[in-house]
Amino acid sequence: MAARGWTEDDIADLSGKTFIVTGANSGIGFEAARALAEKGAAVVLACRSVEKGEAAADRIKMAHAGTKPEVRELDVASLASVRAFAERFLREHARLDALVNNAGVMAIPRRETVDGFEMQMGTNHLGHFALTGLLLPRLIESAPSRVVSVSSMMHTRGRFGALDARDLRLESGYEKWLAYGRSKLANLLFAYELQRRLGVAHPTVLSVGCHPGYAATNLQSVGPEMSGSAVGRAVMAASNALFAQSARAGALPTLYAAVAGGVRGGEFIGPGGPFKMWGAPVSQKSNRASYDLEAAKKLWEASEELTGARYAL
Ligand SMILES: NC(=O)c1ccc[n+]([C@@H]2O[C@H](COP(=O)([O-])OP(=O)(O)OC[C@H]3O[C@@H](n4cnc5c(N)ncnc54)[C@H](OP(=O)(O)O)[C@@H]3O)[C@@H](O)[C@H]2O)c1
């Protein structure tokens, strides 16, 4: 079903519904959390910096009286933090209507998470894999509900080797864009495999992939800052100014995937304009590799092995 022209105005009243948005203190996550809160939802801003999260919550409250965004600490690059966040959420909230797996880093120099995972795979995929597994029982109890995985058109750059735990660690041959592409391909392999596993047993729990096209956010500056590249920073800033849409526009596919009517599990939502980089959200196809059943199964098994997550599916 085409979603031409879909905007925030099309979001129905969300009173009584609860959402989690990871990485909600800036960029697309912030704009998605703001829009959901403005429509009456209870929104948990899951942020690694509580201070930044509180500043974001204050911006939402100031812009829209009556909203009550909640900030909770979550570092998706730490399995201990993922577990602590999930335990607290499950204690505090009786329902979860959608989990928006949005937090991410792009094209950074090689780093490792506290658990020893390559940072882009650890943050963008493995942390969210563990988080989703822990929260899935609540999503199932709250059905109809959704898991939204924020990917990127850079998933087309992703290449895997054996696709086992060792391959995910990417111990040699690190290239920052390849590592980003792999993590974003992993987002889609995971999203579609989760949908297949939910299958007929849980027909109203949907797993949906999406991408924002190109939106000006902090994402583009983190890599150049970490590698101390003034040229990289300048190039990214100029490119953002010339070509990017706003973070608010970039959040529309995420919002559509999370709340629009008529969305089906396993869909991939992105901007329908030129080069799939701008415009209103529509259902699209991701690349062939993202629909590879064998690769999805291997990624799932390797992700379970590395994170210790076990899904109730
Ligand atoms: N902007 C684009 O054009 C574009 C294109 C394709 C895909 N995407 C995807 O969109 C998503 C959001 O990115 P964005 O563009 O909005 O960038 P952004 O403004 O940099 O936002 C990323 C968010 O993720 C958070 N984050 C990073 N590492 C984290 C961790 N270990 N634990 C918890 N939170 C963490 C950041 O927190 P801090 O502020 O503390 O760093 C920030 O809140 C990402 O998944 C990205 O891959 C963006």
Side-chain angles (χ1 to χ4, degrees):
M1 167 88 181
R4 190 162 296 205
W6 191 88
T7 71
E8 283 181 22
D9 294 339
D10 296 306
I11 302 176
D13 177 44
L14 298 175
S15 303
K17 294 186 187 291
T18 302
F19 294 77
I20 295 173
V21 181
T22 69
N25 57 281
S26 81
I28 288 152
F30 171 78
E31 293 296 342
R34 174 199 51 73
L36 295 168
E38 283 182 11
K39 294 290 177 172
V43 185
V44 176
L45 279 58
C47 304
R48 62 177 160 179
S49 158
V50 171
E51 200 184 335
K52 285 189 197 173
E54 292 293 359
D58 286 346
R59 276 159 63 205
I60 294 172
K61 284 186 266 190
M62 278 194 295
H64 205 93
T67 54
K68 295 191 189 86
E70 244 177 68
V71 178
R72 292 290 178 266
E73 187 172 346
L74 171 65
D75 180 353
V76 280
S78 157
L79 291 176
S81 176
V82 168
R83 282 186 215 108
F85 171 86
E87 273 166 28
R88 186 169 178 188
F89 178 85
L90 293 173
R91 254 197 334 270
E92 293 178 341
H93 291 274
R95 61 177 303 109
L96 177 56
D97 293 274
L99 168 62
V100 179
N101 288 328
N102 161 80
V105 285
M106 179 177 82
I108 57 172
R110 193 177 197 289
R111 297 283 188 278
E112 288 190 358
T113 69
V114 289
D115 304 293
F117 309 146
E118 181 278 309
M119 184 63 80
Q120 298 195 69
M121 187 60 74
T123 304
N124 300 353
H125 167 63
L126 290 168
H128 287 121
F129 179 86
L131 179 67
T132 307
L134 291 166
L135 297 177
L136 196 61
R138 187 66 93 245
L139 286 156
I140 290 172
E141 284 163 18
S142 311
S145 55
R146 299 184 191 181
V147 177
V148 176
S149 296
V150 182
S151 180
S152 162
M153 283 311 291
M154 290 294 289
H155 75 272
T156 55
R157 288 280 297 271
R159 299 282 179 276
F160 287 105
L163 233 183
D164 53 12
R166 193 181 153 83
D167 185 24
L168 288 196
R169 287 183 185 280
L170 196 58
E171 278 160 0
S172 60
Y174 184 80
E175 196 283 313
K176 62 187 180 183
W177 286 106
L178 172 67
Y180 181 65
R182 282 160 53 104
S183 72
K184 291 288 135 181
L185 177 57
N187 288 153
L188 292 180
L189 287 166
F190 164 65
Y192 303 154
E193 179 66 12
L194 177 60
Q195 180 57 39
R196 285 188 288 272
R197 288 180 186 234
L198 287 163
V200 284
H202 304 290
T204 54
V205 183
L206 306 183
S207 171
V208 185
C210 68
H211 78 98
Y214 181 11
T217 65
N218 291 340
L219 191 74
Q220 296 86 7
S221 58
V222 172
E225 264 160 31
M226 283 174 77
S227 46
S229 167
V231 175
R233 266 204 308 272
V235 169
M236 283 298 191
S239 172
N240 277 5
L242 287 171
F243 304 116
Q245 58 180 350
S246 67
R248 187 178 177 128
L252 284 176
T254 299
L255 287 164
Y256 186 87
V259 300
V263 171
R264 280 167 287 127
E267 276 193 295
F268 181 50
I269 309 296
F275 310 109
K276 299 182 182 171
M277 288 292 117
W278 310 277
V282 295
S283 185
Q284 315 181 333
K285 285 281 168 227
S286 48
N287 75 348
R288 214 169 136 189
S290 65
Y291 297 108
D292 184 321
L293 300 184
E294 189 56 28
K297 187 167 167 284
K298 284 185 181 174
L299 176 73
W300 192 281
E301 286 165 4
S303 303
E304 280 187 333
E305 186 183 330
L306 287 170
T307 64
R310 291 286 174 271
Y311 276 63
L313 289 175

